[in-house]
Amino acid sequence: MSIGWIFGAAIGFAAFLFEPDVVVAANAPKVVPAKPARTPQAPAASAEAAATIVVFNSHDNESAALARFYAGKRGIPEDRVVGLKCPAQEEITRADFDATIAEPLREIFTKRNWWDPRPLDHPLGRIERNRIKFVALMRGMPLKIAPVGIYVGDKPGGPPEAAGQNEASVDSELAVLAAYNRAISGPRANEYFHSYARILDLNPPGLMLVCRLDAPTKAMVEKMINDSLFAEKEGLRGLAYMDARNITQAGYKEGDKWIYAAANECRKHGIPAILDNGEGLFPEAYPMTRAALYYGWYTGNVTGPFLRPDFRFPRGAVAIHIHSYSAQTLRNPRSNWCGPLIAAGAAATFGSVYEPYLAFTPQIDIFNDRLLAGFTFAESAWMAQRATSWQTTMIGDPLYRPFKYINELDAKAASGEWDAFRAGTKIWFEKGRESGAASLRASAKRLRSGVISEGLGLLELTTANGNEAALTAFREARKAYTSPDDIVRSAIHEVILLRGMNRASDAVVLSGKMADSYKKVRAVEVLRMLTGT
């Protein structure tokens, strides 16, 4: 367990308690066609589905099968599923990308009238209108393009540290397929960055929102697809776990700001947010149950609770860990971050295939804000991404809208503890702490809900003079919860808070009580480490 986590959680908990709201601006700115099977139950194409193409590797039978599976689930038209004869490995050369992916796709777009070309030398660019807005790359499609020494038409661009890099993710290059760009070195500005509008409403001809449905195994991809559809129908409900670093170093502290802002936004949307603000990461024994959202940084390979064989995200979860090489490979369930997070049950994530630099990494605060507002995964991720022709890959169903339901609840009566918690937090933020806390306490008692009491305690921690109220709420959560992991997590909150209040002896007593009662629960290790017992 990270000592940094212990002290960050215990002494640096003030940042957890009183982190001020961070305001996120919301300003608008030879090809083989597939023959997917269709059934009478296949859904009708939505406007987004009609503007989506599904691309698979026709050298890979599993890739073809996944393309048909996904298109059938989303009601994507048959002529929008395309097979390309391209290499099977994750990393390919620039020459292979041009010859087997980019040029064949441009030919398809032209022949099928998916875009309207202009004359070659037109000052506004080669493409006047593009009818395709979303691209789903299926497992089996190459992931990244290796650096090349000489490329005709190339020239450096962007900041000096990045200007000479011409390696890229396949996804990011395909996003600007319409640009016919030969200047591949350095990042290219993303015109959709920081937007707050549906891509179908803006209709930029030079940009497509590219995501991939990729994972260590074919079965995991099918699960991603099914879980996304399940969460859209039933609602993605759970806790948000945020792993900041309490960092002040110039050039890096921006990452923490993103995570603080995401935590604040989750609270306002009625999602209980647990923020670890220590230097280390959540320890492996930490009871990270019901993790609908996870945002964290910064270590090279998966660590913490995700390493445990028994750890599973709830269906439809979104999980992201920032690291320079978080998506270096997607085929290994134990290497880097993206593959392991998907293997642990996450339905969506994003990462980098090579060194992106933090400034050109998708901003978690913008992504989270747009996702909670009801935008699709693809829209949210690309709104958060400053650069194209760069290193990022977005992994998940591009049309997935995990929080569409959250914007429909205000017109409905609360139907369970998660909805009741959201209703109470709405009162908290609109009518004040006292009214909100009273509503949440009443709901927690009526529903005997540990979730509501724990969430109330987490809210109290963000207020001045809220420590005693938080302790009371966490004790109530322990009484209401039935799962030992949830009970011990509530006790962890209490122990951290007690230590921060200079009540170390009380923390030791509580830790001992939990250790005696839950001898076989691994999460007790965290209490022992926190109290040194």
Side-chain angles (χ1 to χ4, degrees):
M1 176 178 175
S2 164
I3 295 299
W5 186 85
I6 297 171
F7 287 105
I11 343 177
F13 209 48
F16 175 100
L17 308 182
F18 307 118
E19 185 62 40
D21 284 1
V22 181
V23 178
V24 182
N27 55 310
K30 204 169 205 179
V31 177
V32 181
K35 296 180 180 179
R38 281 289 185 268
T39 66
Q41 291 76 33
S46 64
E48 285 84 2
T52 300
I53 62 167
V54 184
V55 182
F56 68 92
N57 189 341
S58 59
H59 288 312
D60 184 332
N61 290 335
E62 289 189 350
S63 186
L66 285 170
R68 298 182 181 103
F69 180 79
Y70 174 65
K73 291 283 187 178
R74 279 294 183 191
I76 294 170
E78 199 169 318
D79 71 337
R80 297 291 201 270
V81 184
V82 177
L84 302 177
K85 293 181 177 179
C86 49
Q89 63 267 31
E90 287 189 292
E91 184 175 63
I92 60 174
T93 66
R94 179 65 65 167
D96 280 337
F97 172 76
D98 287 344
T100 68
I101 298 177
E103 290 308 321
L105 272 180
R106 287 181 179 126
E107 183 180 349
I108 284 282
F109 270 70
T110 301
K111 286 184 176 179
R112 297 189 185 179
N113 295 314
W114 290 348
W115 62 23
D116 300 330
R118 294 189 179 107
L120 295 181
D121 57 351
H122 198 285
L124 297 180
R126 294 281 295 273
I127 302 303
E128 180 176 6
R129 181 186 177 197
N130 188 351
R131 295 166 182 83
I132 302 302
K133 299 304 168 191
F134 301 93
V135 179
L137 302 178
M138 307 310 298
R139 184 179 188 274
M141 287 296 294
L143 172 67
K144 54 189 180 179
I145 307 164
V148 60
I150 299 175
Y151 190 74
V152 176
D154 190 22
K155 58 183 178 181
E161 66 272 19
Q165 290 181 233
N166 59 35
E167 62 269 32
S169 73
V170 167
D171 316 33
S172 193
E173 289 289 23
L174 286 181
V176 287
L177 183 73
Y180 286 81
N181 185 35
R182 299 290 297 184
I184 59 174
S185 290
R188 179 186 178 98
N190 173 18
E191 60 185 307
Y192 198 48
F193 175 61
H194 231 303
S195 178
Y196 204 96
R198 295 171 67 221
I199 192 70
L200 294 177
D201 294 335
L202 288 182
N203 203 25
L207 179 71
M208 297 184 292
L209 308 185
V210 183
C211 297
R212 65 173 51 238
L213 284 154
D214 207 339
T217 68
K218 174 177 178 283
M220 290 177 189
V221 176
E222 291 173 338
K223 184 177 187 303
M224 291 167 68
I225 296 166
N226 286 330
D227 286 356
S228 297
L229 292 167
F230 173 86
E232 283 186 357
K233 181 180 178 181
E234 302 296 330
L236 177 58
R237 295 172 172 87
L239 301 165
Y241 292 86
M242 311 287 185
D243 213 333
R245 299 173 64 194
N246 196 20
I247 195 168
T248 58
Q249 184 179 351
Y252 289 93
K253 61 183 180 180
E254 195 70 17
D256 269 2
K257 289 182 180 179
W258 299 347
I259 291 176
Y260 297 151
N264 285 326
E265 201 63 30
C266 283
R267 295 178 191 121
K268 292 174 182 177
H269 279 80
I271 301 171
I274 297 172
L275 173 62
D276 169 15
N277 198 37
E279 182 180 348
L281 302 176
F282 283 108
E284 188 171 337
Y286 189 85
M288 190 183 285
T289 65
R290 313 171 192 227
L293 295 173
Y294 165 76
Y295 302 131
W297 72 320
Y298 183 82
T299 189
N301 280 302
V302 64
T303 188
F306 315 109
L307 289 175
R308 300 201 312 263
D310 64 334
F311 179 84
R312 287 293 179 273
F313 286 104
R315 297 185 71 179
V318 178
I320 295 159
H321 188 93
I322 298 174
H323 187 268
S324 296
Y325 301 96
S326 54
Q328 189 174 39
T329 177
L330 301 180
R331 301 298 168 81
N332 189 333
R334 305 287 285 186
S335 181
N336 306 109
W337 277 93
C338 290
L341 290 174
I342 295 296
T349 186
F350 55 68
S352 303
V353 299
Y354 302 107
E355 171 59 69
Y357 304 102
L358 187 60
F360 300 113
T361 296
Q363 293 187 203
I364 283 176
D365 55 349
I366 299 175
F367 169 76
N368 181 72
D369 175 79
R370 304 314 193 259
L371 201 69
L372 293 179
F375 288 100
T376 65
F377 171 67
E379 288 169 329
S380 302
W382 282 99
M383 287 174 185
Q385 173 63 52
R386 189 182 298 272
T388 61
S389 186
W390 199 235
Q391 321 297 355
T392 305
T393 176
M394 317 298 189
I395 306 157
D397 177 353
L399 307 185
Y400 179 33
R401 294 177 63 193
F403 292 106
K404 175 180 182 292
Y405 84 95
I406 216 168
N407 299 301
E408 300 172 348
L409 291 179
D410 289 341
K412 301 178 182 178
S415 58
E417 61 183 354
W418 297 105
D419 293 350
F421 179 74
R422 182 174 184 270
T425 58
K426 183 179 175 65
I427 295 171
W428 176 289
F429 286 108
E430 291 183 357
K431 297 184 179 180
R433 171 187 174 186
E434 185 175 343
S435 296
S439 173
L440 289 166
R441 284 193 296 268
S443 295
K445 183 177 180 180
R446 175 172 54 86
L447 297 170
R448 191 165 173 74
S449 170
V451 163
I452 296 176
S453 290
E454 183 180 8
L456 173 57
L458 294 168
L459 281 173
E460 292 286 7
L461 288 176
T462 66
T463 67
N465 305 314
N467 290 357
E468 290 296 341
L471 285 174
T472 299
F474 293 142
R475 283 195 294 269
E476 291 300 316
R478 279 196 285 121
K479 294 176 186 177
Y481 274 132
T482 57
S483 162
D485 278 337
D486 290 333
I487 293 168
V488 174
R489 184 179 60 253
S490 297
I492 290 171
H493 297 328
E494 290 178 74
V495 165
I496 291 171
L497 183 52
L498 287 168
R499 292 187 63 195
M501 296 167 67
N502 295 318
R503 293 170 57 182
S505 59
D506 291 339
V508 170
V509 170
L510 177 58
S511 177
K513 178 182 176 181
M514 290 293 105
D516 290 342
S517 299
Y518 300 99
K519 292 182 175 68
K520 296 183 179 180
V521 178
R522 189 176 176 187
V524 169
E525 293 176 20
V526 180
L527 288 171
R528 290 196 179 108
M529 293 294 288
L530 285 168
T531 57
T533 58

